[in-house]
């Protein structure tokens, strides 16, 4: 079997492969966690509260988890057992879509989606999930999940965090 090498065709195939595989890899990078100072401007911290946990890691998608509150002895035991400390929680999840229509798949999982304006190309809020989801003009889907039991307006916090993440891009 004879294989003819065509440099122009090979270059086109490499470029197409880069476009197909290269773009999502950039969006697949694990972000750096927000600083405690930045978090304090975005989410409510009690007077004695501190940031107990901040980690960004690759799960199904790059995910950042933040937990804050008043430190206690049970937190050390939870961490020693392989868990996370207890407290208020914020999660941000980043997923690269291939087109704006991919956001329809996100919307189909919400039963109570309420459209939000001025965040990305499209954004929705779910009261049941305490979660905001949006898509940007480069098809990055960002989810902001807020778990602050004593807070009545988690939507306002999620909106602030989403605006911060969009500005930081």
């Amino acid at each position: 079997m004879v294989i003819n090498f065509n440099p122009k065709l090979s270059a086109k195939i490499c470029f197409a492969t880069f476009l197909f595989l290269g773009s999502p890899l950039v969006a697949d990078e694990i972000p750096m966690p927000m600083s405690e100072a930045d978090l304090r401007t975005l989410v409510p911290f009690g007077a004695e509260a501190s940031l107990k946990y901040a980690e960004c890691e690759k799960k199904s998608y790059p995910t950042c988890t933040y937990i804050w509150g008043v430190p206690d002895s049970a937190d050390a035991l939870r961490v020693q057992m392989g868990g996370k400390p207890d407290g208020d929680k914020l999660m941000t999840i980043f997923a690269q879509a291939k087109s704006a229509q991919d956001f329809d798949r996100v919307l189909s999982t919400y039963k109570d989606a309420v459209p939000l304006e001025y965040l990305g190309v499209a954004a929705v809020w779910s009261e049941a999930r305490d979660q905001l989801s949006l898509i940007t003009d480069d098809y990055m889907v960002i989810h902001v999940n807020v778990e602050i039991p004593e807070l009545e307006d988690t939507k306002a916090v999620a909106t602030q965090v989403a605006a911060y993440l969009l500005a930081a891009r």
Side-chain angles (χ1 to χ4, degrees):
M1 176 161 118
V2 176
I3 299 174
N4 293 326
F5 178 73
N6 181 336
K8 288 183 180 179
L9 180 60
S10 294
K12 288 179 183 176
I13 291 170
C14 287
F15 181 69
T17 302
F18 171 77
L19 285 178
F20 180 72
L21 296 176
S23 297
L25 292 177
V26 173
D28 214 21
E29 292 177 3
I30 300 171
M32 293 297 298
M34 285 186 267
S35 70
E36 182 172 342
D38 286 341
L39 279 170
R40 285 182 176 276
T41 66
L42 299 168
V43 300
F45 267 73
E48 296 179 23
S50 64
L51 183 60
K52 298 179 181 186
Y53 182 87
E55 184 174 70
C56 294
E57 60 187 330
K58 177 76 163 87
K59 294 183 176 183
S60 296
Y61 299 100
T63 302
C64 296
T65 304
Y66 306 91
I67 301 172
W68 65 95
V70 178
D72 62 30
S73 59
D75 287 336
L77 181 59
R78 282 186 201 93
V79 171
Q80 185 179 22
M81 301 295 288
K84 295 180 176 107
D86 192 32
D88 294 333
K89 186 175 177 181
L90 169 69
M91 284 180 48
T92 58
I93 302 146
F94 305 86
Q96 183 65 57
K98 294 184 194 278
S99 71
Q101 289 74 29
D102 290 341
F103 196 60
D104 293 339
R105 192 171 51 225
V106 171
L107 295 175
S108 72
T109 66
Y110 283 91
K111 294 182 183 194
D112 65 336
V114 176
L116 298 175
E117 294 183 16
Y118 311 115
L119 287 172
V121 174
V124 295
W125 169 252
S126 168
E127 189 73 34
R129 294 182 185 186
D130 286 326
Q131 182 167 295
L132 182 151
S133 296
L134 66 89
I135 188 166
T136 65
D137 57 359
D138 63 349
Y139 313 128
M140 175 68 72
V141 176
I142 302 172
H143 303 283
V144 178
N145 180 268
V146 179
E147 295 178 24
I148 307 174
E150 295 182 17
L151 184 66
E152 288 184 30
D153 192 5
T154 52
K155 177 178 151 186
V157 170
T159 302
Q160 279 184 214
V161 171
Y164 172 89
L165 293 172
L166 288 172
R169 292 189 74 222

